[in-house]
Amino acid sequence: MNATVTTMARTEDPEALIGDMGKRARTAAKKLATMSSADKAKGLMAAAKAIRADAEAIKAANVKDMAHGEAKGLTSAMLDRLKLDDARIEGTAAGVEAVAKLTDPVGDIISEHTQPNGLKMRRVRIPIGVIGIIYESRPNVTADAGALCVMSGNAAILRGGSEAIESNRAVHAALVRGFKEAGLPEDAAQLVPTTDRAAVGAMLKADGLIDMIVPRGGKSLVARVQSEAKVPV
């Protein structure tokens, strides 16, 4: 699946790429919205197990990102945020497990009251749908963001920083393998496979395909999202 998506990224323009990802995410979101808390938790536990099993592959991918970052002159602070070692990979897996143990918000009753005519009114939490998350540096966010979206019944389209592309791909591959093994939709958490900044612009304009954008990064990223987004942020 990863090879197919990567090839598509090379041959299609960013808007077509995000459009395709958005449609697949929409299908996955519909399935997630009807899945039980136990099934979603099972998928996340399987994903955590897969991350642990892929620790060596994830570290090898991270070595490439670290070498590229050093060559580009990233600061020591940036390199530290980028680095993945055994302890951080274990922390990433444990974080996914922690999300699996959270109370499922779907179906939670926020408030309720009865009208004078006897009609009962309730406000109930439901999934948002498809959430696009744009983030920088830390590869563990790939797992954290994907897990939080899935547990809350939402599909995620993840766009990490170019400095962490290899690490993000490795973490994402493990995440998806766990989902697949547990019966969750493979497209529940998709990773944008290209580092082309135009893909960010395509996400920000994907009204109707992406229901909400969440930026996680520096001032320049937040400013771009605020100025360009046609999707709720």
Side-chain angles (χ1 to χ4, degrees):
M1 184 181 73
N2 288 343
T4 301
V5 174
T6 302
T7 301
M8 181 174 64
R10 295 194 187 107
T11 57
E12 292 194 18
D13 65 86
E15 289 190 5
L17 171 64
I18 298 302
D20 177 72
M21 294 179 73
K23 291 175 183 176
R24 289 188 283 124
R26 182 69 64 196
T27 298
K30 290 178 180 178
K31 293 180 180 178
L32 283 171
T34 63
M35 297 188 80
S36 68
S37 303
D39 285 340
K40 290 183 290 185
K42 179 182 177 182
L44 294 181
M45 295 299 283
K49 182 179 179 180
I51 290 171
R52 290 191 176 99
D54 283 6
E56 293 304 317
I58 293 171
K59 285 191 294 184
N62 185 247
V63 166
K64 296 178 182 178
D65 286 332
M66 291 292 291
H68 187 241
E70 290 174 356
K72 286 181 62 178
L74 293 183
T75 65
S76 57
M78 284 286 289
L79 289 171
D80 180 65
R81 286 196 289 271
L82 178 60
K83 184 176 177 59
L84 288 176
D85 54 21
D86 288 328
R88 288 184 175 180
I89 293 172
E90 172 55 32
T92 299
V96 173
E97 287 180 336
V99 173
K101 296 174 183 177
L102 292 175
T103 301
D104 188 345
V106 179
D108 181 38
I109 299 174
I110 303 171
S111 63
E112 59 182 327
H113 67 276
T114 302
Q115 298 281 68
N117 64 359
L119 181 64
K120 294 182 178 180
M121 308 287 289
R122 285 181 175 178
R123 295 180 62 201
V124 182
R125 296 187 193 277
I126 63 171
I128 292 171
V130 178
I131 300 179
I133 303 179
I134 304 169
Y135 54 101
E136 300 171 343
S137 302
R138 298 181 188 273
N140 63 291
V141 176
T142 298
D144 292 344
L148 285 166
C149 285
V150 167
M151 192 60 193
S152 56
N154 299 291
I157 295 179
L158 309 169
R159 204 288 186 178
S162 59
E163 69 280 359
I165 185 63
E166 299 296 339
S167 304
N168 287 336
R169 285 172 177 166
V171 172
H172 177 257
L175 199 68
V176 171
R177 191 173 76 254
F179 290 169
K180 183 178 180 180
E181 291 173 355
L184 264 62
E186 291 183 59
D187 291 328
Q190 298 178 70
L191 179 70
V192 176
T194 177
T195 58
D196 188 344
R197 288 175 59 85
V200 173
M203 289 178 67
L204 298 177
K205 298 172 184 175
D207 187 27
L209 291 174
I210 297 176
D211 298 299
M212 179 178 288
I213 292 286
V214 179
R216 184 188 189 279
K219 291 182 179 179
S220 61
L221 170 62
V222 174
R224 182 184 181 188
V225 170
Q226 289 176 327
S227 64
E228 296 182 24
K230 304 297 182 183
V231 178
V233 177

PDB file of all heavy atoms in Angstrom, residues 136-153:
ATOM      1  N   GLU A 136       4.960  19.447  12.767  1.00  0.00           N
ATOM      2  CA  GLU A 136       6.383  19.566  12.467  1.00  0.00           C
ATOM      3  C   GLU A 136       7.219  18.724  13.430  1.00  0.00           C
ATOM      4  O   GLU A 136       6.814  18.448  14.550  1.00  0.00           O
ATOM      5  CB  GLU A 136       6.825  21.033  12.566  1.00  0.00           C
ATOM      6  CG  GLU A 136       6.087  21.962  11.603  1.00  0.00           C
ATOM      7  CD  GLU A 136       6.383  23.437  11.862  1.00  0.00           C
ATOM      8  OE1 GLU A 136       6.891  23.761  12.957  1.00  0.00           O
ATOM      9  OE2 GLU A 136       6.095  24.256  10.977  1.00  0.00           O
ATOM     10  N   SER A 137       8.373  18.340  12.971  1.00  0.00           N
ATOM     11  CA  SER A 137       9.474  17.790  13.783  1.00  0.00           C
ATOM     12  C   SER A 137       9.241  16.436  14.434  1.00  0.00           C
ATOM     13  O   SER A 137       9.828  15.446  14.020  1.00  0.00           O
ATOM     14  CB  SER A 137       9.904  18.787  14.869  1.00  0.00           C
ATOM     15  OG  SER A 137      10.303  19.993  14.287  1.00  0.00           O
ATOM     16  N   ARG A 138       8.396  16.382  15.457  1.00  0.00           N
ATOM     17  CA  ARG A 138       8.342  15.185  16.299  1.00  0.00           C
ATOM     18  C   ARG A 138       7.602  14.033  15.610  1.00  0.00           C
ATOM     19  O   ARG A 138       6.378  14.089  15.436  1.00  0.00           O
ATOM     20  CB  ARG A 138       7.658  15.510  17.623  1.00  0.00           C
ATOM     21  CG  ARG A 138       8.373  16.555  18.458  1.00  0.00           C
ATOM     22  CD  ARG A 138       7.628  16.788  19.765  1.00  0.00           C
ATOM     23  NE  ARG A 138       8.169  17.905  20.517  1.00  0.00           N
ATOM     24  CZ  ARG A 138       9.181  17.829  21.378  1.00  0.00           C
ATOM     25  NH1 ARG A 138       9.762  16.663  21.576  1.00  0.00           N
ATOM     26  NH2 ARG A 138       9.600  18.898  22.035  1.00  0.00           N
ATOM     27  N   PRO A 139       8.313  12.925  15.283  1.00  0.00           N
ATOM     28  CA  PRO A 139       7.672  11.795  14.599  1.00  0.00           C
ATOM     29  C   PRO A 139       6.624  11.084  15.441  1.00  0.00           C
ATOM     30  O   PRO A 139       5.717  10.453  14.896  1.00  0.00           O
ATOM     31  CB  PRO A 139       8.855  10.854  14.301  1.00  0.00           C
ATOM     32  CG  PRO A 139      10.079  11.708  14.382  1.00  0.00           C
ATOM     33  CD  PRO A 139       9.770  12.749  15.411  1.00  0.00           C
ATOM     34  N   ASN A 140       6.731  11.183  16.778  1.00  0.00           N
ATOM     35  CA  ASN A 140       5.746  10.502  17.626  1.00  0.00           C
ATOM     36  C   ASN A 140       4.339  11.067  17.440  1.00  0.00           C
ATOM     37  O   ASN A 140       3.346  10.402  17.741  1.00  0.00           O
ATOM     38  CB  ASN A 140       6.138  10.603  19.100  1.00  0.00           C
ATOM     39  CG  ASN A 140       6.149  12.036  19.603  1.00  0.00           C
ATOM     40  OD1 ASN A 140       6.996  12.830  19.212  1.00  0.00           O
ATOM     41  ND2 ASN A 140       5.205  12.374  20.457  1.00  0.00           N
ATOM     42  N   VAL A 141       4.254  12.300  16.906  1.00  0.00           N
ATOM     43  CA  VAL A 141       2.941  12.904  16.681  1.00  0.00           C
ATOM     44  C   VAL A 141       2.148  12.092  15.658  1.00  0.00           C
ATOM     45  O   VAL A 141       0.913  12.045  15.707  1.00  0.00           O
ATOM     46  CB  VAL A 141       3.087  14.374  16.224  1.00  0.00           C
ATOM     47  CG1 VAL A 141       1.722  14.983  15.888  1.00  0.00           C
ATOM     48  CG2 VAL A 141       3.764  15.199  17.311  1.00  0.00           C
ATOM     49  N   THR A 142       2.845  11.425  14.739  1.00  0.00           N
ATOM     50  CA  THR A 142       2.167  10.585  13.751  1.00  0.00           C
ATOM     51  C   THR A 142       1.308   9.541  14.450  1.00  0.00           C
ATOM     52  O   THR A 142       0.143   9.324  14.092  1.00  0.00           O
ATOM     53  CB  THR A 142       3.198   9.894  12.836  1.00  0.00           C
ATOM     54  OG1 THR A 142       3.933  10.903  12.121  1.00  0.00           O
ATOM     55  CG2 THR A 142       2.520   8.966  11.832  1.00  0.00           C
ATOM     56  N   ALA A 143       1.878   8.890  15.454  1.00  0.00           N
ATOM     57  CA  ALA A 143       1.134   7.877  16.205  1.00  0.00           C
ATOM     58  C   ALA A 143       0.118   8.514  17.147  1.00  0.00           C
ATOM     59  O   ALA A 143      -1.035   8.062  17.236  1.00  0.00           O
ATOM     60  CB  ALA A 143       2.098   6.997  16.989  1.00  0.00           C
ATOM     61  N   ASP A 144       0.520   9.561  17.858  1.00  0.00           N
ATOM     62  CA  ASP A 144      -0.372  10.208  18.825  1.00  0.00           C
ATOM     63  C   ASP A 144      -1.638  10.740  18.157  1.00  0.00           C
ATOM     64  O   ASP A 144      -2.761  10.492  18.611  1.00  0.00           O
ATOM     65  CB  ASP A 144       0.338  11.374  19.514  1.00  0.00           C
ATOM     66  CG  ASP A 144       1.471  10.926  20.426  1.00  0.00           C
ATOM     67  OD1 ASP A 144       1.512   9.734  20.768  1.00  0.00           O
ATOM     68  OD2 ASP A 144       2.300  11.773  20.799  1.00  0.00           O
ATOM     69  N   ALA A 145      -1.448  11.495  17.071  1.00  0.00           N
ATOM     70  CA  ALA A 145      -2.577  12.124  16.389  1.00  0.00           C
ATOM     71  C   ALA A 145      -3.476  11.074  15.750  1.00  0.00           C
ATOM     72  O   ALA A 145      -4.710  11.150  15.834  1.00  0.00           O
ATOM     73  CB  ALA A 145      -2.073  13.101  15.338  1.00  0.00           C
ATOM     74  N   GLY A 146      -2.857  10.081  15.107  1.00  0.00           N
ATOM     75  CA  GLY A 146      -3.643   9.026  14.492  1.00  0.00           C
ATOM     76  C   GLY A 146      -4.473   8.276  15.514  1.00  0.00           C
ATOM     77  O   GLY A 146      -5.656   7.986  15.297  1.00  0.00           O
ATOM     78  N   ALA A 147      -3.874   7.973  16.656  1.00  0.00           N
ATOM     79  CA  ALA A 147      -4.573   7.226  17.708  1.00  0.00           C
ATOM     80  C   ALA A 147      -5.732   8.025  18.287  1.00  0.00           C
ATOM     81  O   ALA A 147      -6.836   7.499  18.491  1.00  0.00           O
ATOM     82  CB  ALA A 147      -3.593   6.847  18.811  1.00  0.00           C
ATOM     83  N   LEU A 148      -5.516   9.300  18.570  1.00  0.00           N
ATOM     84  CA  LEU A 148      -6.574  10.130  19.147  1.00  0.00           C
ATOM     85  C   LEU A 148      -7.760  10.266  18.197  1.00  0.00           C
ATOM     86  O   LEU A 148      -8.918  10.225  18.622  1.00  0.00           O
ATOM     87  CB  LEU A 148      -6.015  11.510  19.505  1.00  0.00           C
ATOM     88  CG  LEU A 148      -5.130  11.555  20.753  1.00  0.00           C
ATOM     89  CD1 LEU A 148      -4.363  12.874  20.815  1.00  0.00           C
ATOM     90  CD2 LEU A 148      -5.961  11.371  22.017  1.00  0.00           C
ATOM     91  N   CYS A 149      -7.457  10.435  16.914  1.00  0.00           N
ATOM     92  CA  CYS A 149      -8.541  10.545  15.934  1.00  0.00           C
ATOM     93  C   CYS A 149      -9.346   9.251  15.870  1.00  0.00           C
ATOM     94  O   CYS A 149     -10.576   9.275  15.907  1.00  0.00           O
ATOM     95  CB  CYS A 149      -7.974  10.889  14.560  1.00  0.00           C
ATOM     96  SG  CYS A 149      -7.448  12.606  14.383  1.00  0.00           S
ATOM     97  N   VAL A 150      -8.656   8.135  15.776  1.00  0.00           N
ATOM     98  CA  VAL A 150      -9.346   6.852  15.645  1.00  0.00           C
ATOM     99  C   VAL A 150     -10.212   6.554  16.867  1.00  0.00           C
ATOM    100  O   VAL A 150     -11.360   6.130  16.746  1.00  0.00           O
ATOM    101  CB  VAL A 150      -8.335   5.717  15.403  1.00  0.00           C
ATOM    102  CG1 VAL A 150      -8.983   4.349  15.586  1.00  0.00           C
ATOM    103  CG2 VAL A 150      -7.754   5.834  14.000  1.00  0.00           C
ATOM    104  N   MET A 151      -9.685   6.786  18.061  1.00  0.00           N
ATOM    105  CA  MET A 151     -10.453   6.486  19.270  1.00  0.00           C
ATOM    106  C   MET A 151     -11.711   7.333  19.351  1.00  0.00           C
ATOM    107  O   MET A 151     -12.736   6.907  19.910  1.00  0.00           O
ATOM    108  CB  MET A 151      -9.587   6.691  20.516  1.00  0.00           C
ATOM    109  CG  MET A 151     -10.214   6.135  21.786  1.00  0.00           C
ATOM    110  SD  MET A 151     -10.508   4.348  21.660  1.00  0.00           S
ATOM    111  CE  MET A 151     -11.566   4.063  23.052  1.00  0.00           C
ATOM    112  N   SER A 152     -11.669   8.535  18.790  1.00  0.00           N
ATOM    113  CA  SER A 152     -12.840   9.408  18.810  1.00  0.00           C
ATOM    114  C   SER A 152     -13.710   9.229  17.566  1.00  0.00           C
ATOM    115  O   SER A 152     -14.612  10.024  17.314  1.00  0.00           O
ATOM    116  CB  SER A 152     -12.404  10.875  18.949  1.00  0.00           C
ATOM    117  OG  SER A 152     -11.509  11.243  17.920  1.00  0.00           O
ATOM    118  N   GLY A 153     -13.429   8.177  16.787  1.00  0.00           N
ATOM    119  CA  GLY A 153     -14.265   7.846  15.642  1.00  0.00           C
ATOM    120  C   GLY A 153     -14.014   8.665  14.400  1.00  0.00           C
ATOM    121  O   GLY A 153     -14.838   8.677  13.481  1.00  0.00           O
TER     122      GLY A 153
END
